[in-house]
Amino acid sequence: MNPSSQLRRYPTRRAVLGAAVAGAALPVLGGCVTGGEDDTAEAASGAKTAENPLGVPDKTPLEVVIFKGGYGDEYAVNAESLYKQRYPGATVDHKGIQKVGEALQPRFVADTPPDVVDNTGAGRLDLATLVGAGKLSDLADLLDAPSLDDPAKKVRDTLLPGVVDDGTFDNKVQTLNFTYTVWGLWYSKPLFDKHGWTFPTTWDAMLALCEQIKKAGVAPWTYQGKYPEYLNDPLLAMAAKAGGPDLVKAVDNLEPNAWKQPGLVDAASAIAELAGKGYILSGSEALSHTEAQAAWSQSQVAIIPCGSWLEAEQKGITPDGFDMVMAPAPALSSGDKLPQTALQGASSESFIVPAKAKNPRGGLEFLRILFSTTAAKRFAELNSTMPSVAGALEGLTLSSGLGSVKTAVDAAGPNTFTYRFRTWYAPLAKAVDDATGELATRRITPAQWSDRVQKAADAVATDTAVKKYQR
Amino acid sequence: MTQDRHGRYRFLAGAILPALALYAVFVLSPYAQAFYLSLTDWTGVSGQVNFVGLDNFTRLFGDPLFLAALRNNGLMLLVVPVVTIALGLLLAVLVTFGGRRGSAIRGASTYQTAYFFPQLLSLPIIALLWQFVYHPNDGLLNGLLRGIGLDGLARTWLGDPHLALWAVMAVLVWSSVGFYMVLFAAAMGSIPAELIEAATLDGAGRLTTLWRIVLPLLRDTVQVAFVYLGVLALDGFAVVQVMTVGPGGPDNATEVMGLGLYRNAFTFSKFGYAAAMGVTLFFLTLTLAVLAMRAGRRERVELA
């Protein structure tokens, strides 16, 4: 008896052998993962007509990959059936999947990508990397094509403000985002009415209201502590209102001491004050987004920061008559450079047409159909979410949450802003998230917060291996 | 004769080569690619790759996240194997020798089955269950503490940088202790009864028998357990990824090398850098295995 004597040298020998063979096979096998750069695929195209301005080949199949997350993929199937009506000779291969990145990464490497991809969700491919590697088509042809609803209007002119900018990398539009997300603070209108609370427009009023809410035995704020980025949104929104577009630009352009601008330090101090006065539900720092949002839906908490997807996400557990409403973050002071109604808004649900697609014209045409009022309206109905197509919500009966989002977007008008550093420099985004998590638990001070984030931003700025963007 | 030998070789080759080929394609070639990629700046989507030499490895040791991960994996390496083996041995001894006159206790197999249960669950499920247990407001753990009047001990387990890593380690120990108990109990069961009886006749008490007879005979099994648990402690990815704040937080308190690797590859699209992490982890694990095997090399007792 000695079963383990057999095992004794086994792992070592295997490993050593492995290493030896690895060394020998290195040059041969090394080529496998990264090969296949130089084959130039012959992209199909058809004749350009008024009916078919993009020159879509009728007989060529179209492969569509959709991120099947919170919005499902029914809206895409709907757009695909419209595509088939226009091009009866084409077959459409639809894939609704969750881990877009894992499924498509090898196909991008091998240059056999699908024709159009909804590159969204936690497992998406890094857009900046795709752009850097030249894997995406320029969408200029699509933007300049006549829109489906009104041939006199270009597709470019049917989109909400900022959407074209959001998709622009290196002066080329390489992605088009289908949904328009705004971030704000959410509350239940009936709960506020019941207690006679009004949602504040200034930070001082917010602190006063929190005191009242606390006295009523409700926790004033919670946040999705497991993912501190949710708390970044009100913080960065208040900073942007205080410092105006220049503050946002300085941050995104990695300017020296950008994170030490007074607007950012003041906003960080505001969040720290919230925590310091005990206005945040205890234990929030360890709650996942579902847990924190559930506590809010059960009216244990009055206010939660979130993007406009919240209503759709809470569909199953929102009690009847909860009537959630979103409001823009309050103003830090009367000296703010943007009005209080200014809104952090950005388009998301990023659609791309890979450069090496077999049917890129078809991919562009699919997007022209998807971004038409008909298809966008269908999406809004299915998901109570605002598409990035202007006027897509007109004439629809809106739920409480989506209605408040539309009101906020209308009130903000041209005053919308968005930070780009999250997409441009993912490591910086992580540093900001970590720091904000520490700030909200008061383990660091607002000054330490801005020091830490500045250090991380400087590290990105000086790293020659990171591709830099400017706005 | 020669003919015969050839035939035999042909047969042996036929039996071995397909397996070797599969092993080469699915185990060795990914290893080789990882080694190669660790010397490049591959982004994961591009076919274009630039050779950067040892640059990735130089960066690793200036990367505060990776250093935090090293520290955390190091602490896990010190704690998880020792605690798991100690608990596993204790439970195995209680089950195997805890009964009257040093026999197995009644219902021994029931206990073994119960303790083995966590092994049947996949790690992400275990992590999810424990996330509920650690929930600061409605969790089982804080509920229990508050229920017995120890409100002062209730904590935000996963939200506190001083506790989060310990909370993760507790889950790793919980999930593996049952398996090692069964392993140790099986090894104890194969110790000949005469040895134990002889010791008892010589006047050895239960503790002495345990310390002088049983444990020395388990040395090899414990050693193997140590290597496996060491590998587990150098990983910890699944539990950290599912359960912790961030994940890897709060403020990198539970950052582990596997998580850094995953993040760099799939979030930051730095596959070359991630491969360098993987290669480093490979050599660390290898060193650990070699050291553990060397340290325990002693004269072996041959039974029966």
Side-chain angles (χ1 to χ4, degrees):
Chain A
M1 107 116 209
N2 217 331
S4 52
S5 66
Q6 287 297 313
L7 290 171
R8 175 170 278 257
R9 264 183 228 96
Y10 177 58
T12 337
R13 183 194 293 154
R14 179 172 67 169
V16 169
L17 192 71
V21 177
L26 207 140
V28 188
L29 292 160
C32 296
V33 269
T34 52
E37 180 66 352
D38 36 32
D39 64 290
T40 39
E42 197 62 39
S45 66
K48 288 184 189 176
T49 63
E51 266 301 287
N52 182 3
L54 290 165
V56 179
D58 184 28
K59 295 276 185 302
T60 313
L62 180 76
E63 185 185 1
V64 184
V65 174
I66 299 294
F67 168 65
K68 195 174 176 180
Y71 303 136
D73 60 352
E74 200 188 321
Y75 71 94
V77 174
N78 172 58
E80 284 157 18
S81 67
L82 294 175
Y83 183 93
K84 268 187 278 191
Q85 280 170 24
R86 294 178 71 88
Y87 306 98
T91 50
V92 178
D93 176 7
H94 170 89
K95 292 191 181 75
I97 59 174
Q98 255 131 41
K99 299 248 168 181
V100 177
E102 281 172 28
L104 296 188
Q105 192 230 340
R107 295 188 55 186
F108 271 101
V109 174
D111 280 334
T112 54
D115 302 313
V116 58
V117 180
D118 171 11
N119 182 34
T120 309
R124 65 180 174 269
L125 287 164
D126 184 44
L127 206 54
T129 310
L130 286 172
V131 169
K135 294 284 178 183
L136 304 182
S137 297
D138 186 345
L139 303 180
D141 283 359
L142 165 66
L143 291 171
D144 292 327
S147 72
L148 212 58
D149 303 289
D150 177 5
K153 227 174 173 185
K154 289 178 182 173
V155 170
R156 173 190 302 281
D157 301 323
T158 63
L159 305 172
L160 284 175
V163 175
V164 171
D165 276 350
D166 286 345
T168 307
F169 288 80
D170 294 338
N171 300 318
K172 271 191 282 181
V173 183
Q174 313 211 25
T175 177
L176 216 44
N177 295 335
F178 187 51
T179 63
Y180 194 72
T181 307
V182 292
W183 283 264
L185 300 169
W186 292 77
Y187 61 98
S188 157
K189 188 134 199 339
L191 180 74
F192 269 55
D193 289 347
K194 192 177 99 189
H195 289 93
W197 301 330
T198 35
F199 201 86
T201 52
T202 66
W203 188 253
D204 288 338
M206 171 62 86
L207 292 176
L209 174 71
C210 285
E211 193 56 39
Q212 268 183 290
I213 297 177
K214 204 178 168 188
K215 280 203 185 112
V218 179
W221 275 58
T222 188
Y223 68 103
Q224 300 80 338
K226 209 175 157 183
Y227 310 102
E229 61 191 84
Y230 283 86
L231 195 58
N232 275 334
D233 295 322
L235 194 165
L236 293 176
M238 289 193 290
K241 288 179 201 189
D246 292 342
L247 179 144
V248 179
K249 257 188 198 156
V251 163
D252 285 343
N253 290 344
L254 301 174
E255 281 172 22
N257 291 325
W259 290 88
K260 297 190 173 173
Q261 298 176 85
L264 278 159
V265 180
D266 291 348
S269 306
I271 297 294
E273 204 174 359
L274 207 59
K277 295 203 160 145
Y279 293 155
I280 298 181
L281 174 76
S282 74
S284 290
E285 69 268 27
L287 298 184
S288 69
H289 62 299
T290 38
E291 289 165 345
Q293 288 162 198
W296 173 77
S297 284
Q298 293 156 7
S299 297
Q300 295 170 22
V301 189
I303 300 168
I304 194 167
C306 198
S308 47
W309 62 81
L310 183 65
E311 190 178 38
E313 194 171 33
Q314 296 298 94
K315 216 176 205 165
I317 63 163
T318 305
D320 286 341
F322 187 76
D323 289 351
M324 65 176 77
V325 174
M326 191 201 78
L332 276 178
S333 75
S334 53
D336 277 10
K337 297 219 171 95
L338 285 175
Q340 188 266 330
T341 50
L343 212 51
Q344 183 183 357
S347 50
S348 49
E349 203 79 11
S350 149
F351 280 81
I352 52 178
V353 176
K356 293 284 168 72
K358 286 202 187 70
N359 185 6
R361 308 311 294 181
L364 293 176
E365 177 72 0
F366 172 81
L367 292 184
R368 196 169 74 102
I369 292 169
L370 185 67
F371 282 77
S372 70
T373 321
T374 331
K377 264 203 165 70
R378 182 85 191 108
F379 172 83
E381 278 172 343
L382 284 168
N383 295 302
S384 10
T385 299
M386 192 168 191
S388 56
V389 180
L393 295 182
E394 298 306 331
L396 296 179
T397 323
L398 301 181
S399 55
S400 160
L402 187 55
S404 72
V405 168
K406 184 177 181 294
T407 313
V409 171
D410 292 346
N415 290 315
T416 61
F417 55 89
T418 180
Y419 290 85
R420 301 290 302 272
F421 74 90
R422 283 204 89 84
T423 13
W424 287 350
Y425 313 112
L428 176 59
K430 174 170 165 52
V432 182
D433 295 348
D434 288 347
T436 303
E438 292 303 283
L439 179 74
T441 45
R442 299 174 67 215
R443 289 191 284 261
I444 60 173
T445 65
Q448 285 168 319
W449 177 87
S450 67
D451 280 348
R452 270 178 62 153
V453 179
Q454 187 58 51
K455 232 174 116 188
D458 291 343
V460 174
T462 51
D463 188 343
T464 48
V466 177
K467 186 176 162 57
K468 304 298 188 309
Y469 299 89
Q470 288 285 319
R471 61 184 292 187
Chain B
M1 181 73 192
T2 338
Q3 197 62 35
D4 180 40
R5 190 179 283 165
H6 274 167
R8 205 171 75 198
Y9 283 155
R10 212 171 292 150
F11 171 73
L12 282 179
I16 293 169
L17 281 180
L20 264 184
L22 284 176
Y23 186 74
V25 170
F26 291 108
V27 180
L28 297 183
S29 86
Y31 267 65
Q33 291 183 359
F35 276 81
Y36 161 68
L37 289 174
S38 73
L39 303 173
T40 70
D41 65 351
W42 193 44
T43 57
V45 292
S46 159
Q48 203 176 7
V49 168
N50 301 314
F51 192 76
V52 295
L54 292 175
D55 191 40
N56 285 330
F57 292 93
T58 333
R59 272 164 184 266
L60 263 188
F61 292 96
D63 180 347
L65 276 177
F66 186 73
L67 295 179
L70 265 186
R71 211 165 39 239
N72 293 334
N73 278 123
L75 183 64
M76 285 161 75
L77 188 59
L78 288 180
V79 175
V80 173
V82 173
V83 175
T84 311
I85 289 174
L87 281 176
L89 277 174
L90 179 72
L91 292 172
V93 165
L94 290 178
V95 167
T96 320
F97 301 111
R100 213 174 286 169
R101 279 186 289 123
S103 61
I105 54 167
R106 247 196 285 165
S109 60
T110 317
Y111 283 108
Q112 293 200 8
T113 314
Y115 286 127
F116 194 73
F117 253 172
Q119 195 66 32
L120 302 178
L121 296 174
S122 76
L123 266 180
I125 292 175
I126 289 176
L128 207 59
L129 291 177
W130 276 88
Q131 192 193 317
F132 298 144
V133 171
Y134 287 136
H135 190 293
N137 303 327
D138 317 323
L140 193 65
L141 183 56
N142 278 351
L144 191 75
L145 288 171
R146 290 184 181 123
I148 56 174
L150 294 172
D151 297 54
L153 287 182
R155 291 280 184 282
T156 310
W157 301 101
L158 294 170
D160 185 332
H162 301 293
L163 296 173
L165 188 60
W166 295 96
V168 168
M169 288 195 280
V171 174
L172 288 177
V173 170
W174 179 86
S175 66
S176 40
V177 79
F179 175 81
Y180 290 98
M181 182 204 82
V182 171
L183 187 74
F184 294 148
M188 286 177 191
S190 61
I191 295 173
E194 309 93 83
L195 271 180
I196 312 274
E197 276 167 24
T200 319
L201 285 178
D202 286 345
R206 273 200 201 191
L207 271 183
T208 319
T209 315
L210 184 66
W211 202 247
R212 293 286 166 89
I213 309 286
V214 176
L215 289 188
L217 289 174
L218 286 184
R219 167 174 281 280
D220 280 341
T221 316
V222 171
Q223 201 181 6
V224 170
F226 190 85
V227 173
Y228 285 147
L229 284 165
V231 172
L232 180 84
L234 284 180
D235 174 23
F237 168 70
V239 172
V240 168
Q241 161 84 356
V242 175
M243 202 172 78
T244 63
V245 171
D251 205 21
N252 306 321
T254 55
E255 177 79 12
V256 290
M257 285 181 277
L259 185 67
L261 193 162
Y262 178 85
R263 186 189 303 116
N264 272 292
F266 295 104
T267 311
F268 298 169
S269 268
K270 294 189 200 164
F271 275 77
Y273 188 55
M277 287 187 168
V279 169
T280 311
L281 186 57
F282 169 82
F283 281 114
L284 284 176
T285 314
L286 195 65
T287 314
L288 172 83
V290 171
L291 285 181
M293 289 306 186
R294 283 281 148 78
R297 186 169 286 177
R298 282 229 198 142
E299 237 176 86
R300 235 195 239 102
V301 188
E302 288 293 339
L303 294 174

